């Protein structure tokens, strides 16, 4: 029986022939008739509507009909609602539209509802609903990070933000690599993750990460490339499950054991303890770091089992050669030795390997090593400094081709010690605003006028004395603090340029920028915001970058686009230190460079060397042929200035014009 009110009995037979699912309500919205087709589609019978409201409606749909009920009831025109989502008795979602027709019968008003159903829509809505549930489940269970193809962070869920202590402002649009510890090993892991995802493959592994305040934690990371309907990868989804406790337990077990299970050598944890014990006891020793050359190339040739045999054979040779020394395995292919042996004997290990090669499956494995020797207490006085010194030496050896064990000179060790001190005190200097800016004037050769200045960061430290930009900037880049210094220089340059403009002295101010800063995709917004803050005209600002920056930038589309936008605003880009590095000049086509500066190393001996004079003449002509203004750096004598003037050089800077001076002194020059 599908009819409740007997007064509608005659119409029952007519309505039941309707081809679409239909139902009828009385004037208060209570269902009084439910068609056979509706029962078939939705699973409800008329009895299901006895004591409840319409259960197939969502709250939104129910509210919509309630709000428009009087209009529906008292008009003869059809009332359509589209689209709506209805739910069948077994909770399946159906995307559809509903048409309501009001009519009168025996002094009562009724409303006939006809439902248009579509099987495809049912599947689409059901699939969408299912995907939403899956997405919610993932977000509730995992830390989620969305990364674009350039490695920039697009979004992170609350679970990730809570664990990492980052805020959306600090990571959205920033590099994915900043979530990892800043070491070559971790940068390589980050590159491996992104490369694999760009290739359309998933990535899964335990990964060491770092919070905003520097706390290390571990996650099981699953990286998934997400593609659009054309099968183009749009972005990467990183699902992370924290496993720090598990890793800590593993670490503790390693510490308890103090032994590398694969080779039988000491673990790196025990190595640190041994070194610190020796230092406490004032023992003299050499800290030797040895790394197998081209290890990962060798690893690809052999399977894991063969790799283990190779490492064990190598460890045996270390034990034999460095008898009565402390030997530890500090990484996959890195080994450390604490020994009283002399430098010449330690360096002889390279020949020992040649005389005692490793054989696997009757084949000689061509192993060579790069090594570094740092002495205590002559060179460095702490475990951390010993490690840094040997790491620096290893990098130098590998750049020179490897297959050598060497030491740093005393002056190199002195520089390294100072570098470590600078790293420690730089953060404090930034927090206490200990940096200040000096300006190096630039003289127009034709007019003799000062038309622009280069802003230079200066740091006077109570312990370190004067820290020059040549020292400061490379360390700031390594430690990741270059962004803070860059922001400081941007602010000060715009502020000073605006002050001079208001005083009727429209001097252009240039400052140096790094590739790391421009990898922040919000760089354009940041610069525009600072210009607006100080009411500074973009035409007064020049951004300088090196050839190394240019070479890297021209390979990254996002950076090129940012530079082009700023150039369109009126900012001039200056190629600094031109001629010192790279043979490829393709970046001169790719990047909107307006000015180039000839490096001071070419200017120093320009009056003594004819070849150098011709080279500089060629550089001036080359730059001007491209429509660029050419500036000579490091001009120190009147003779150099006159020669450059004859060459047609546009401008010069250096001690001949002025030393770096304060803003007040610049105004006095003018």
């Amino acid at each position: 029986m599908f009819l409740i009110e007997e007064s509608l009995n005659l119409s029952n037979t007519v309505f039941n022939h309707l081809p679409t699912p239909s139902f009828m309500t009385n004037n208060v919205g209570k269902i009084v008739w439910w068609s056979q087709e509706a029962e078939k589609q939705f699973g409800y019978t008329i009895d299901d509507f006895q004591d409840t409201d319409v259960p197939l409606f969502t709250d939104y749909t129910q509210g919509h009909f309630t709000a428009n009920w009087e209009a529906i009831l008292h008009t003869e025109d059809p009332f359509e609602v589209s689209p709506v989502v209805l739910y069948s008795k077994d909770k399946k979602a159906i995307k559809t539209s509903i048409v309501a027709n009001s009519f009168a019968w025996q002094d009562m008003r009724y409303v006939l509802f006809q439902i248009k159903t579509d099987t495809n829509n049912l599947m689409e809505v059901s699939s969408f609903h299912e995907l939403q549930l899956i997405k919610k489940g993932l977000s509730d269970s995992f830390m989620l990070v969305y990364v674009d193809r350039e490695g920039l962070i697009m979004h992170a869920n609350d679970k990730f933000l809570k664990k990492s202590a980052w805020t959306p402002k600090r990571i959205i649009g920033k590099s994915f690599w900043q979530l990892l510890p800043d070491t070559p090993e971790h940068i390589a892991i980050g590159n491996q993750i992104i490369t694999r995802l760009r290739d359309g493959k998933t990535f899964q592994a335990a990964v060491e990460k770092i919070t905003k305040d520097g706390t290390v934690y571990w996650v099981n990371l699953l990286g998934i490339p997400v593609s659009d309907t054309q099968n183009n990868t749009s972005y990467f989804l990183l699902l992370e499950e924290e496993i720090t406790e598990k890793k800590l337990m593993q670490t503790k077990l390693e510490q308890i054991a103090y032994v590398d299970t694969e080779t039988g050598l000491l673990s790196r944890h025990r190595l640190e303890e041994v070194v610190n014990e020796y230092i406490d006891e004032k023992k003299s020793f050499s800290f030797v770091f040895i790394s197998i050359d081209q290890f990962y190339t060798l690893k690809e040739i052999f399977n894991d089992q063969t790799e283990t045999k190779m490492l064990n054979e190598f460890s045996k040779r270390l034990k034999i050669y460095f008898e009565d020394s402390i030997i530890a395995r500090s990484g996959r292919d890195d080994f450390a030795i604490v020994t009283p042996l002399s430098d010449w004997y330690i360096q002889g290990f390279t020949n020992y390997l040649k005389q005692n090669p490793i054989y696997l499956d009757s084949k000689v494995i061509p192993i060579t090593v790069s090594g570094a020797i740092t002495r205590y207490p002559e060179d460095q006085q702490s475990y951390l400094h010993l490690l840094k010194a040997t790491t620096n030496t290893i990098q130098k050896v590998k750049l020179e081709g490897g297959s050598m064990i060497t030491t740093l000179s005393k002056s190199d060790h002195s520089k390294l010690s100072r570098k470590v001190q600078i790293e420690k005190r730089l953060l404090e200097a930034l927090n206490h605003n200990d940096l200040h800016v000096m300006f190096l004037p630039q003289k127009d050769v034709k007019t003799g006028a000062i038309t622009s200045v280069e802003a230079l960061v200066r740091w006077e430290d109570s312990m370190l004395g004067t820290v020059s930009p040549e020292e400061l900037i490379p360390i700031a880049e390594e430690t990741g603090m270059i962004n803070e210094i860059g922001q400081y220089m941007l602010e000060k340059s715009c502020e000073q340029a605006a002050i001079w403009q208001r005083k009727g002295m429209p001097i252009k101010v240039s400052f140096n920028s790094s590739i790391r800063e421009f990898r922040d995709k919000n760089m354009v917004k940041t610069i525009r915001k600072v210009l607006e803050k100080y009411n500074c005209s973009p035409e007064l600002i020049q951004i300088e970058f090196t050839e190394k920056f240019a070479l890297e930038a021209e390979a990254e589309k996002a950076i090129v686009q940012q530079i082009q936008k700023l150039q369109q605003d009126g900012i001039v880009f200056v190629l600094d230190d031109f001629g010192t590095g790279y043979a490829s000049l393709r970046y001169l086509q790719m990047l909107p460079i307006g000015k180039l500066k000839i490096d001071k190393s070419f200017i120093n001996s320009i009056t003594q060397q004819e070849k150098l004079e011709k080279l500089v003449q060629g550089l001036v002509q080359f730059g001007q042929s491209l429509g660029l203004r050419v500036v000579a750096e490091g001009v120190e004598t009147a003779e150099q200035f006159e020669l450059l003037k004859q060459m047609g050089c546009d401008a010069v800077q250096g001690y001949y014009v002025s030393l770096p001076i304060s803003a007040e002194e610049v105004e006095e020059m003018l």
Side-chain angles (χ1 to χ4, degrees):
M1 185 70 176
F2 300 96
L3 184 66
I4 291 178
E5 299 196 11
E6 292 296 325
S7 61
L8 292 173
N9 193 37
L10 289 174
S11 60
N12 182 29
T13 55
V14 177
F15 289 143
N16 267 330
H17 286 88
L18 292 173
T20 59
S22 308
F23 62 93
M24 193 181 301
T25 71
N26 59 19
N27 62 334
V28 295
K30 184 172 180 62
I31 294 180
V32 295
W33 174 77
W34 184 255
S35 75
Q36 291 175 338
E37 191 63 26
E39 179 175 332
K40 198 182 301 178
Q41 282 280 359
F42 292 93
Y44 294 111
T45 68
I46 191 65
D47 295 328
D48 292 321
F49 301 101
Q50 289 295 304
D51 302 314
T52 62
D53 291 327
V54 187
L56 74 159
F57 287 170
T58 63
D59 290 342
Y60 173 83
T61 306
Q62 182 72 53
H64 189 69
F65 280 124
T66 301
N68 293 279
W69 186 247
E70 287 301 314
I72 295 170
L73 199 62
H74 296 99
T75 181
E76 299 295 330
D77 297 323
F79 184 92
E80 182 170 354
V81 181
S82 177
V84 294
V85 176
L86 306 180
Y87 288 94
S88 62
K89 195 169 184 178
D90 58 0
K91 307 299 183 187
K92 286 184 179 177
I94 300 177
K95 186 178 180 183
T96 184
S97 61
I98 297 178
V99 178
N101 286 278
S102 171
F103 66 96
W105 178 262
Q106 295 183 355
D107 299 325
M108 288 284 288
R109 293 204 69 83
Y110 296 87
V111 181
L112 175 66
F113 291 85
Q114 292 178 276
I115 304 169
K116 300 176 181 178
T117 58
D118 185 331
T119 306
N120 290 331
N121 281 338
L122 171 60
M123 293 175 65
E124 288 174 10
V125 173
S126 179
S127 298
F128 175 78
H129 182 63
E130 185 178 340
L131 286 172
Q132 291 299 100
L133 289 174
I134 291 171
K135 186 177 179 181
K136 184 179 184 304
L138 289 174
S139 191
D140 289 344
S141 305
F142 296 93
M143 293 178 276
L144 298 183
V145 181
Y146 295 75
V147 179
D148 69 15
R149 287 189 58 83
E150 304 302 322
L152 301 176
I153 299 165
M154 301 160 59
H155 174 71
N157 71 347
D158 290 339
K159 204 172 181 73
F160 171 83
L161 295 173
K162 183 178 179 182
K163 174 61 193 176
S164 66
W166 288 103
T167 61
K169 182 181 177 182
R170 293 292 181 185
I171 60 168
I172 302 303
K174 303 297 194 311
S175 170
F176 152 80
W177 280 266
Q178 79 179 47
L179 306 180
L180 306 173
D182 191 14
T183 68
E185 181 183 353
H186 290 91
I187 290 170
I189 290 170
N191 291 339
Q192 183 184 352
I193 293 169
I194 294 298
T195 300
R196 187 168 177 82
L197 294 174
R198 282 176 180 163
D199 290 339
K201 300 173 184 176
T202 59
F203 175 92
Q204 187 168 11
V207 176
E208 188 178 17
K209 300 188 71 181
I210 194 166
T211 64
K212 183 186 175 185
D213 59 10
T215 304
V216 169
Y217 65 104
W218 284 85
V219 298
N220 258 336
L221 186 147
L222 173 62
I224 303 171
V226 180
S227 303
D228 58 21
T229 53
Q230 281 76 44
N231 206 31
N232 298 315
T233 300
S234 303
Y235 60 90
F236 311 133
L237 175 60
L238 307 181
L239 293 90
E240 300 174 353
E241 180 185 22
E242 188 181 0
I243 55 167
T244 306
E245 287 187 7
K246 182 180 176 182
K247 272 289 179 182
L248 287 175
M249 180 59 71
Q250 181 182 336
T251 301
K252 285 177 182 177
L253 290 172
E254 289 175 359
Q255 289 175 327
I256 291 168
Y258 285 143
V259 173
D260 174 64
T261 55
E262 194 170 15
T263 62
L265 301 174
L266 292 188
S267 69
R268 64 174 180 266
H269 313 291
R270 180 55 181 153
L271 170 69
E272 183 175 356
E273 287 189 4
V274 168
V275 171
N276 286 328
E277 287 169 8
Y278 274 40
I279 291 172
D280 290 341
E281 295 167 9
K282 308 294 183 187
K283 288 184 178 179
S284 296
F285 61 89
S286 287
F287 185 78
V288 185
F289 200 86
I290 288 176
S291 178
I292 298 174
D293 293 333
Q294 309 299 327
F295 177 75
Y296 286 95
T297 302
L298 292 170
K299 184 179 175 181
E300 286 183 7
I301 298 172
F302 305 105
N303 57 40
D304 291 341
Q305 192 174 8
T306 309
E307 177 194 336
T308 301
K309 288 180 183 177
M310 178 178 69
L311 288 170
N312 280 320
E313 287 298 319
F314 183 78
S315 299
K316 286 178 185 177
R317 281 152 181 76
L318 284 173
K319 290 174 185 176
I320 293 169
Y321 191 83
F322 294 102
E323 191 178 7
D324 298 327
S325 299
I326 303 295
I327 306 172
R329 186 180 181 194
S330 58
R332 188 67 193 151
D333 58 327
D334 298 325
F335 301 84
I337 303 149
V338 180
T339 181
L341 297 169
S342 60
D343 289 358
W344 67 267
Y345 184 85
I346 295 167
Q347 290 166 336
F349 182 65
T350 55
N351 288 327
Y352 176 78
L353 278 179
K354 292 176 184 176
Q355 294 164 5
N356 298 272
I358 294 172
Y359 289 89
L360 293 177
D361 298 328
S362 302
K363 293 180 181 178
V364 174
I365 308 301
I367 289 183
T368 62
V369 297
S370 295
I373 306 169
T374 307
R375 292 175 293 267
Y376 173 86
E378 298 95 311
D379 298 330
Q380 301 294 337
Q381 285 77 47
S382 72
Y383 174 76
L384 178 62
H385 290 180
L386 287 165
L387 201 58
K388 277 185 172 287
T390 50
T391 302
N392 276 28
T393 312
I394 284 281
Q395 289 174 351
K396 186 178 177 182
V397 170
K398 290 200 171 187
L399 283 173
E400 293 173 358
S403 191
M404 181 171 58
I405 300 174
T406 189
T407 62
L408 286 178
S409 66
K410 283 188 177 181
S411 64
D412 285 336
H413 277 294
S414 179
K415 288 176 186 174
L416 182 64
S417 297
R418 180 174 169 82
K419 179 183 173 186
V420 172
Q421 286 182 306
I422 291 172
E423 287 177 4
K424 281 184 180 179
R425 295 188 62 79
L426 179 55
L427 188 58
E428 193 176 329
L430 287 166
N431 290 337
H432 295 167
N433 298 316
D434 290 343
L435 304 179
H436 66 278
V437 177
M438 300 291 279
F439 299 93
L440 187 62
Q442 197 176 99
K443 184 176 183 178
D444 186 283
V445 172
K446 290 180 181 177
T447 65
I450 303 300
T451 55
S452 64
V453 294
E454 181 181 353
L456 302 171
V457 63
R458 286 291 185 269
W459 178 20
E460 296 291 337
D461 184 80
S462 57
M463 287 179 60
L464 299 167
T466 302
V467 181
S468 69
E470 288 77 12
E471 275 188 302
L472 176 60
I473 299 305
I475 294 172
E477 287 180 337
E478 284 180 30
T479 57
M481 286 185 271
I482 191 65
N483 285 21
E484 284 80 358
I485 293 176
Q487 181 68 26
Y488 173 80
M489 294 302 292
L490 168 64
E491 295 260 355
K492 290 298 180 183
S493 298
C494 292
E495 181 183 25
Q496 191 57 59
I499 290 171
W500 282 331
Q501 186 178 35
R502 287 195 294 272
K503 290 182 176 181
M505 296 180 286
I507 305 170
K508 298 181 189 298
V509 180
S510 67
F511 64 93
N512 286 277
S513 189
S514 71
I515 191 77
R516 186 163 184 163
E517 292 173 83
F518 270 85
R519 284 202 171 104
D520 179 353
K521 68 179 181 183
N522 292 315
M523 188 65 172
V524 172
K525 290 181 182 177
T526 299
I527 292 175
R528 286 174 176 172
K529 190 175 179 180
V530 174
L531 288 167
E532 185 180 352
K533 176 181 175 181
Y534 294 106
N535 194 24
C536 177
S537 172
E539 287 78 10
L540 295 175
I541 297 300
Q542 301 179 145
I543 298 177
E544 299 192 13
F545 51 71
T546 63
E547 286 187 282
K548 183 182 177 184
F549 177 119
L551 195 69
E552 292 183 48
E554 60 102 2
E556 298 187 38
K557 187 178 178 182
I559 294 177
V560 174
Q561 289 173 342
Q562 292 209 86
I563 292 173
Q564 288 172 339
K565 286 178 183 177
L566 291 171
Q567 188 259 349
Q568 289 164 8
D569 288 349
I571 290 174
V572 173
F573 284 87
V574 182
L575 184 62
D576 198 11
D577 301 336
F578 182 66
T580 57
Y582 300 89
S584 171
L585 298 176
R586 201 167 77 95
Y587 53 76
L588 288 172
Q589 293 177 302
M590 299 288 293
L591 303 177
I593 296 166
K595 185 187 289 188
L596 64 81
K597 299 172 79 172
I598 300 173
D599 188 68
K600 60 185 178 183
S601 61
F602 295 109
I603 307 301
N604 289 340
S605 304
I606 190 174
T607 56
Q608 283 86 39
Q609 296 182 30
E610 186 180 347
K611 283 187 178 180
L612 203 55
E613 180 183 336
K614 289 180 179 179
L615 176 60
V616 173
Q617 174 77 68
L619 292 176
V620 171
Q621 292 174 350
F622 172 71
Q624 292 176 343
S625 71
L626 296 175
L628 308 178
R629 278 183 61 81
V630 180
V631 181
E633 297 181 289
V635 179
E636 297 184 355
T637 67
E639 192 179 359
Q640 290 172 348
F641 175 77
E642 289 301 325
L643 188 55
L644 289 163
K645 186 176 182 180
Q646 292 171 25
M647 291 179 181
C649 189
D650 296 300
V652 297
Q653 69 178 49
Y655 292 172
Y656 174 73
V657 179
S658 171
L659 295 168
I661 55 178
S662 66
E664 293 77 14
E665 290 171 312
V666 171
E667 293 176 20
E668 288 174 14
M669 281 189 74
L670 296 172

